[in-house]
Every structure is written in C-alpha cells, then in structure tokens.
Amino acid sequence: MAAHEHETPLSRGAQAGGLQGEVVPILDFGSQTAQLIARRARDSGVYAVLVHPSISADELRAMQPKGIILSGGPSSVDDEGAPTCDPGIFSLGIPVLGICYGMQLACKLMGAKVDRADHREFGRASLDVNHDNGGKGTLFNAIPGHTTVWMSHGDQITGLESAGLVPTAATKSCPYAAVRSEDGLFRGVQFHPEVTHTPHGTDMIRNFLYEICGCEGLWRMADFAEAQADAIRERVGDKRVICGLSGGVDSSVAAALIHKAIGDQLTCVFVDNGLLRKNERELVETTFRDHFHIDLRVVNATDDFLGDLAGIDDPQEKRKRIGHRFIEVFKEAASDLPDAQYLAQGTLYPDVIESGHGHAGNSANIKLHHNVGGLPEELGFDLIEPLRDLFKDEVRKLGEVLGVPDQIVWRHPFPGPGLAVRVLGDITKDKLDVLRDCDEILLEEIVAAELYRRTSQVFAVLLPIQSVGVMGDGRTYEKAVAIRAVETQDFMTADWARIPFDVLARISNRIINEVRGVNRVVYDISSKPPATIEWE
C-alpha cells in the first residue's frame, strides 16, 4: 500500500464492522457536527464511523451495519451538485436515521416534498412529540412530550402524501420536525440531536441505536486494543516499523500499541528539533527507554530545523518546512534500519477532518499538520496510523488500557510543529528560550492549583509585539505573552477555561518577574469556533 493512501485496517468499513462486532456508518454530507454524531454513538458503546456519502448500498451491506445515519450538511437538497446517496440504502432492511439535511434528502428520495422555508429556523425550538411508535421502537422513549431541540435549516419537509411517511413530532413553524416510515425502518429529525443544545438528544441517539437498531454496546477500548494489535501484527509480518515519537499523548499511545503488537520490531525515533518544551528530550528518553524498554533513537536536528525557519513568519510555510525536514530526518534515520518498511504516526480523527481529509471530502483546509497529508511517495515507507479513527479522549482511554503512565496519558496536547506555531512571527533561539521559560511557569502554577486535569490544553504564546511597561524607576519596552487555556471534549469545538483570577495573577507576576524580556501577560478568552485553539 502506498504511503499517501492513509488507510489502516480499521479504516476499511467492512473490516471495522467485523473487528468491533457492531458498526453504524454515518454518511457525512459535510456537517460541522458530523463527528459529534460519531462521538455520541461511541459514548453509548456503539462503534460509529464516518463514510463518504457516495458509498453504495452494496458496500454498506458488506459492513454488516446495525444501523445507518445520514448527517446534516450545508447544502440545499435542490442545489445543483448537492450531495446525494444511493437510494438503495432504504431497501437494505437496515434502520436509517436522517438528521437535518440527511432527513430532507431521504424524504425527497422517498417521494416527499421539500421546499424552502419562509424563515430560516436557527436556534432553540420547542418540540411537541407524538409517541406513536410505529414499527420497532421509538426515538422518543422516555423523552418528555414537550422538549427543547436545536434547529439549523433553511429547507423543510412540506408534504408527505406519496412518501409513506408519518409525522412523529412538530415545532410551531415545522410540522414535520420528525417523521418515520410506515415500517419504522426510517426515522428522520429536522433538528440536531447530537449537539448539547438539544438536552435529550443523546437519549434520542441511544434510542435509535438500542431500541431501533438492536445494538448491544460492544464498543470497548480493550477490544479495540486487541483488534488493532492483531491487525498491525498481520500487516507488518516480520518487517520493522519506525514510529515518530514526540512524547505527547498521541505518539506515545501509538508507540505503546504497536509495541504490544510487534515488540522489538518497533524502533522509535525522537527528533530534537529545537522547538520542544523545557526538558522534553530528557523526559522522553527516560520514559520510553526505562518504562517501555523500546528501541529509541534520538536525533539532534536543532540546527537544521532552526536554519529552515530562519526569517519565516508565515504559519503555513513554517508547517511545510518543518514537515519537509521531519521527513528528511526520518529518511536519514531509516538508512540505518534496512528492514524498516512502515512509518507509524499518532494521527487522530480530528487531525484527519481538520486537514481536509475527512470522509465527505469537502472540509475546509483549516490547518496543515505533518501527521496528515504531505507525505511524498518517495518517502519509501508504508504508513501506519492506528489511532486515526479515535478522538482524543478515546486515545487516553486506550493509553490507560495499554499501561501508559498517567503523566503521559493525561498530558495536554502539543502541536506537531512544536513551539514554532506558538512563537508568532519569525523564529529565533532567544524567542524560543523566552517562551519555554514562560510555558514552564504557566504549567507549574496550573498543576499547583489542581487545574491540569480540569483543563484540556494550556499553553503560552509569544506575541510579535512589544509594549511599554514600568519596572523599578525605568520604562521598559518588552515582549508580551498570551496565555491560552481551553476546555473541550473532542478538540473540534472548545471553550476558554475560567481560570480563577488569583491563579492568573500568580502566573502573570511570576512570568513578568522571572522571565527577562517580558513585561505584559494577557489572557485569551476566545472560543473555538470562531477561533482555533492554537494561534497559528
């Protein structure tokens, strides 16, 4: 398999169903919340995976799914080029749930009428539920007769006359807010049950999975670990795997999983690129040589990376140059390992989606990441990404199953390009040293205040500005540092953390007093979206 294909055994839908026992594919029509549907299903113990909407009914049947979900999307069903799906999906005898656009498309394919609404409905709405079950089970079991849901649509169903559909819930402006087919195999909702603004939405998804699809909740991380280890062992054979180890959660768990599968056939390469946190290299060497007894090769490429970045201030160009050098370093390291055929990386599901490699194929290219895309064929390795179907919290659970130490499992994420994307503007060793000192103080105080496990990611950013200050009897004109702290479940959306003022005060005072060259600290209170978590 070529490296650029980015396929793992688990990523193949049919095998995923076999590995996990029960699977629910989600046809992704480009919704910003499609991944949340998968999260809600997995949190309910059912393995859900996003697939391209062009998948055929035969391909879906081969996955042996317990149910099928059609996601929302930004298009109108009547737009030219609007995404569609194989109508044969509705003849498989498998329960289908359509959400928003997915509902509209399904109803249209069944013969219902879909029109532009007089007013676009966006936000909370009061839903009146008709508890007529029809067929097998109901979406609204144990749901109040009047409940709140989150709407976001410009089209809606206006006629069911020839579609064989029955309304099951309505809002004031949407008479067909939920429908079902007469045999009960299709359910459609105009609202979004996957978002937190629909209080009973998770219950509705669970009702679909358990009451209607008959799922048993077989998705367990221990089973995933065993299945993936078996798949890796079968694929690798007697060849060697090289793993790019950063010391972060993702690459560490990937290394532990691959080591479980093939033992001494794994060689980890840690690249000291000069863009690391303070004492990072020492921590990685101690942990992976002493705890895991993994064959670890450390490459000091600081001068090469900083040379590539000299005078570069564009964030995407930084990432490209770092990714290119990263590949060159690996090629050189691999020259000492002639039996190495595979390169392993800790790519996660959000990396895949945000990098424009999502299943729908129409995601915005929000960021470039050297773990996703950009790997040239001449690299000479096949690619193994055993975590690419998992969200961050699932990776942490997997790490615990594999016995990865808590201080690594619960470590906050660190970007692949390192501090290069936290020093805004051009990169110099002096700037990196200043940021390292600020970041160390920040994390010390967050840990001391027992906030580290209550926050998802905390870091400092060195801003490309200077500001006036007063120290002693003199005026200063020195650097400003921003503090970023967020809370999130999946890193697809995030809210800024409400750090207590006294903790922020200690952080600010220590940074300004202990780090030479900094005279101002600011706190970032932007949420994602519209901001991203990292500044670059």
Side-chain angles (χ1 to χ4, degrees), residues 189-491:
V189 294
Q190 183 62 77
F191 52 87
H192 287 272
E194 70 273 22
V195 302
T196 56
H197 301 304
T198 300
H200 290 282
T202 299
D203 298 326
M204 297 175 196
I205 291 174
R206 284 183 60 87
N207 284 337
F208 175 71
L209 297 173
Y210 284 89
E211 288 203 20
I212 298 172
C213 298
C215 293
E216 299 178 34
L218 303 178
W219 166 241
R220 297 289 184 271
M221 198 51 70
D223 296 333
F224 175 90
E226 292 298 331
Q228 275 292 66
D230 289 344
I232 292 167
R233 199 176 298 116
E234 179 181 354
R235 181 179 173 199
V236 170
D238 61 355
K239 301 298 183 182
R240 179 164 297 277
V241 175
I242 300 179
C243 179
L245 188 61
S246 69
V249 179
D250 307 337
S251 64
S252 297
V253 173
L257 178 58
I258 295 169
H259 190 253
K260 170 185 173 67
I262 60 173
D264 293 341
Q265 291 171 244
L266 171 67
T267 295
C268 288
V269 175
F270 176 76
V271 178
D272 185 350
N273 56 14
L275 305 169
L276 306 173
R277 289 167 287 197
K278 206 164 188 177
N279 302 320
E280 184 85 7
R281 176 172 171 174
E282 293 79 4
L283 174 65
V284 169
E285 289 186 280
T286 300
T287 301
F288 287 89
R289 282 188 178 141
D290 296 347
H291 179 81
F292 287 108
H293 306 292
I294 286 176
D295 178 23
L296 176 65
R297 314 286 177 92
V298 177
V299 180
N300 187 353
T302 297
D303 292 341
D304 292 331
F305 277 90
L306 295 188
D308 290 342
L309 293 170
I312 304 300
D313 58 9
D314 179 76
Q316 299 296 63
E317 183 64 24
K318 289 180 187 178
R319 291 179 183 270
K320 288 179 181 177
R321 291 187 176 220
I322 291 168
H324 177 75
R325 179 59 63 179
F326 180 81
I327 291 167
E328 293 302 312
V329 168
F330 260 82
K331 288 174 70 173
E332 186 173 346
S335 65
D336 295 330
L337 299 165
D339 60 338
Q341 181 175 333
Y342 296 94
L343 172 63
Q345 296 188 141
T347 308
L348 304 191
Y349 209 7
D351 294 329
V352 175
I353 295 169
E354 289 197 346
S355 299
H357 293 266
H359 296 276
N362 54 3
S363 302
N365 190 4
I366 298 172
K367 69 178 181 181
L368 295 175
H369 192 292
H370 73 249
N371 278 357
V372 182
L375 287 169
E377 292 185 37
E378 64 267 21
L379 182 62
F381 297 113
D382 290 337
L383 194 59
I384 291 181
E385 295 174 308
L387 311 180
R388 73 179 274 121
D389 291 308
L390 299 183
F391 293 96
K392 175 68 74 172
D393 65 318
E394 293 174 322
V395 173
R396 296 192 197 280
K397 292 176 184 176
L398 177 59
E400 291 179 328
V401 168
L402 295 169
V404 178
D406 280 355
Q407 62 265 36
I408 291 180
V409 167
W410 291 100
R411 223 175 173 199
H412 288 182
F414 190 63
L419 297 181
V421 292
R422 293 179 180 174
V423 172
L424 305 195
D426 65 312
I427 308 295
T428 67
K429 183 179 182 302
D430 288 343
K431 290 180 180 179
L432 290 166
D433 288 341
V434 167
L435 181 57
R436 270 188 272 266
D437 289 340
C438 293
D439 200 62
E440 183 180 43
I441 291 170
L442 168 62
L443 292 178
E444 282 179 358
E445 293 298 331
I446 291 294
V447 170
E450 299 183 348
L451 294 172
Y452 193 78
R453 290 279 291 270
R454 291 163 53 190
T455 50
S456 303
Q457 193 168 355
V458 179
F459 57 91
V461 179
L462 188 65
L463 304 182
I465 59 173
Q466 291 181 297
S467 66
V468 175
V470 177
M471 290 188 178
D473 295 325
R475 291 168 65 83
T476 61
Y477 192 61
E478 295 179 331
K479 297 179 177 65
V481 169
I483 303 302
R484 180 74 157 142
V486 299
E487 298 173 351
T488 179
Q489 289 186 329
D490 50 31
F491 291 87

Side-chain angles (χ1 to χ4, degrees), residues 460-524:
V461 179
L462 188 65
L463 304 182
I465 59 173
Q466 291 181 297
S467 66
V468 175
V470 177
M471 290 188 178
D473 295 325
R475 291 168 65 83
T476 61
Y477 192 61
E478 295 179 331
K479 297 179 177 65
V481 169
I483 303 302
R484 180 74 157 142
V486 299
E487 298 173 351
T488 179
Q489 289 186 329
D490 50 31
F491 291 87
M492 301 302 298
T493 61
D495 195 13
W496 61 278
R498 272 60 170 177
I499 303 296
F501 289 164
D502 59 334
V503 177
L504 291 175
R506 284 198 301 273
I507 293 168
S508 177
N509 288 338
R510 283 196 61 193
I511 288 176
I512 291 172
N513 285 304
E514 297 177 29
V515 182
R516 185 177 296 275
V518 176
N519 70 353
R520 190 176 299 272
V521 175
V522 299
Y523 189 52
D524 181 351

Side-chain angles (χ1 to χ4, degrees), residues 62-138:
M63 295 174 70
Q64 300 180 344
K66 299 291 287 186
I68 298 169
I69 298 177
L70 312 180
S71 84
S75 302
S76 169
V77 292
D78 291 323
D79 286 347
E80 184 177 352
T84 187
C85 64
D86 184 344
I89 290 172
F90 307 105
S91 302
L92 292 174
I94 296 168
V96 177
L97 171 64
I99 296 174
C100 200
Y101 179 87
M103 171 200 184
Q104 296 163 6
L105 175 62
C107 291
K108 179 180 178 181
L109 292 174
M110 292 178 186
K113 188 176 181 182
V114 181
D115 289 314
R116 293 278 186 184
D118 293 336
H119 301 284
R120 187 171 186 267
E121 195 170 20
F122 181 83
R124 290 180 175 85
S126 179
L127 185 76
D128 294 323
V129 176
N130 172 2
H131 283 283
D132 176 17
N133 291 354
K136 180 183 177 183
T138 173

